[in-house]
């Protein structure tokens, strides 16, 4: 009797859920949600492809591009954005030698906080290769005070935190800052960018507190002679931030191919062993 009652109750619950789902679908079809300015812009301006060498199954980092991207970060982005999960000595993966890494660490614009164990006084010291990149701001209060009440995000994992991260960074900083289209305001009058913010067609809500970081060609003078257009600088910093988020990509790809090769050889060996063990058995 209890089983019958439980079954009836279960069927009732399933029927109610099915009925609710049906009418939810019907409601979406017959009365779709009103389009938003964000969806309208996104449908007309999808993310641009950064076309980085690291993309794809066989992708590998271009060390010269990573060094250029680090130069863009250092000269443009580091004034506001930290990369707190990266150590100076990690830059050796970009092709810098020990002396260069030591010089970069010692000459970094922000020094490491250092507490005197005897007096408790807080001072600073020069960075060492073993140190992580220091925080730009001591806390969120200081960050907001310096950035119109906005906290610049840490960029260490930015390309992992955003969908299609490398393309997002490239599109946002290289091609996102444009004049707000008149047809957008005609269709969505409430979408006008508020005072103190900047219109960016690739930002989530179209209005971003960060001013355009890359404003003109030649803003960064590349040491390798590459022409520093805004598009090139955007690609390079996107490549660098892809590396900060996934520094072991080349190693991971190499390990993956090694595992696939081992499995392929193992399959052939297993098949050969099978044929050898069962060769005299009748089917």
């Amino acid at each position: 009797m209890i089983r019958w009652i439980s079954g009836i109750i279960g069927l009732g619950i399933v029927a109610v859920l099915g009925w609710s789902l049906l009418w939810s679908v019907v409601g979406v079809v017959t009365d779709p949600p009103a389009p938003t300015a964000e969806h309208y812009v996104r449908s007309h301006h999808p993310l641009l492809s950064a076309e980085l060498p690291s993309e794809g199954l066989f992708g590998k980092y271009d060390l010269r591009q990573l060094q250029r991207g680090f130069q863009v970060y250092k000269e443009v982005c580091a004034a506001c954005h930290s990369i707190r999960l990266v150590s100076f000595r990690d830059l050796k993966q970009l092709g810098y030698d020990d002396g260069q890494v030591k010089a970069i660490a010692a000459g970094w614009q922000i020094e490491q906080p250092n507490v005197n164990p005897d007096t408790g006084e807080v001072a600073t010291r020069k960075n060492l290769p073993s140190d992580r990149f220091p925080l730009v701001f001591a806390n969120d209060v200081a960050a907001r005070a310096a950035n119109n009440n906005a906290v610049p995000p840490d960029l260490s994992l930015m390309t992992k935190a955003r969908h299609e991260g490398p393309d997002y960074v490239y599109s946002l900083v290289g091609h996102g800052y444009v004049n707000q289209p008149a047809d957008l305001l005609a269709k969505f009058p409430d979408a006008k960018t508020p005072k103190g913010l900047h219109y960016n067609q690739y930002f989530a809500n179209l209005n971003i507190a960060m001013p355009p970081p890359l404003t003109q060609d030649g803003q960064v003078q590349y040491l390798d002679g590459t022409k520093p257009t805004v598009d090139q600088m955007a690609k390079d910093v996107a490549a660098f931030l892809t590396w900060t988020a996934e520094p072991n990509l080349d190693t991971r790809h190499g390990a993956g191919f090694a595992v696939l090769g081992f499995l392929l050889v193992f399959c052939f060996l297993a098949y050969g062993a099978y044929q050898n063990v069962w060769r005299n058995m009748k089917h």
Side-chain angles (χ1 to χ4, degrees), residues 12 68 79 90 104 136 207 232 244 246 274:
R68 294 196 303 268
D90 294 335
I104 291 172
V136 177
N207 301 311
Q232 185 64 55
T244 64
E246 195 169 8
Y274 164 79

Side-chain angles (χ1 to χ4, degrees), residues 10-11 14 32 48 51 59 66 73 77 80 82 87 89 118 121 147 198-199 216 238 250 253 262 273:
L11 288 174
V14 170
L48 304 174
E51 299 179 348
L66 295 184
Y73 167 76
C77 310
C80 298
S82 303
S87 298
R89 61 187 174 193
D118 298 323
E121 294 180 351
N147 292 279
H198 305 271
Y199 177 79
Q216 60 183 356
D250 290 348
H253 281 184
F262 168 79

Side-chain angles (χ1 to χ4, degrees), residues 221-250:
Q221 294 300 316
Y222 284 142
L223 301 178
D224 65 356
T226 300
K227 187 176 181 180
T229 63
V230 169
D231 182 77
Q232 185 64 55
M233 290 185 289
K235 283 187 177 181
D236 293 340
V237 76
F240 173 69
L241 295 180
T242 301
W243 172 79
T244 64
E246 195 169 8
N248 298 317
L249 179 139
D250 290 348

Side-chain angles (χ1 to χ4, degrees), residues 24-186:
S24 297
V25 172
V26 171
V28 170
V29 173
T30 58
D31 186 21
T36 63
E38 294 83 355
H39 291 131
Y40 175 79
V41 172
R42 203 73 68 246
S43 64
H44 287 75
H45 301 282
L47 290 177
L48 304 174
S49 175
E51 299 179 348
L52 301 180
S54 56
E55 294 177 355
L57 187 62
F58 300 97
K60 294 185 65 176
Y61 288 128
D62 179 344
L63 297 186
R64 289 182 59 187
Q65 183 177 46
L66 295 184
Q67 290 186 11
R68 294 196 303 268
F70 172 63
Q71 190 179 348
V72 175
Y73 167 76
K74 178 182 178 182
E75 298 183 22
V76 178
C77 310
C80 298
H81 296 277
S82 303
I83 47 172
R84 62 184 178 84
L85 299 182
V86 182
S87 298
F88 285 100
R89 61 187 174 193
D90 294 335
L91 297 178
K92 292 178 65 176
Q93 297 182 31
L94 275 59
Y96 296 109
D97 59 31
D98 289 331
Q100 290 173 313
V101 170
K102 186 175 181 180
I104 291 172
W108 197 252
Q109 55 265 43
I110 301 175
E111 297 186 337
Q112 292 286 333
N114 188 41
V115 179
N116 188 317
D118 298 323
T119 64
E121 294 180 351
V122 179
T124 59
R125 61 165 175 81
K126 290 189 177 297
N127 296 286
L128 301 174
S130 57
D131 291 325
R132 291 185 175 182
F133 280 81
L135 297 175
V136 177
F137 302 103
N139 50 51
D140 287 354
V141 175
R144 291 183 185 280
N147 292 279
N148 194 25
N149 205 36
V151 179
D154 183 271
L155 298 181
S156 306
L157 301 176
M158 181 56 65
T159 58
K160 288 290 187 183
R162 297 293 184 269
H163 178 63
E164 299 180 1
D167 294 341
Y168 170 80
V169 172
Y170 165 65
S171 301
L172 181 83
V173 302
H175 300 275
Y177 291 93
V178 296
N179 293 326
Q180 197 165 23
D183 61 332
L184 175 67
L185 294 178

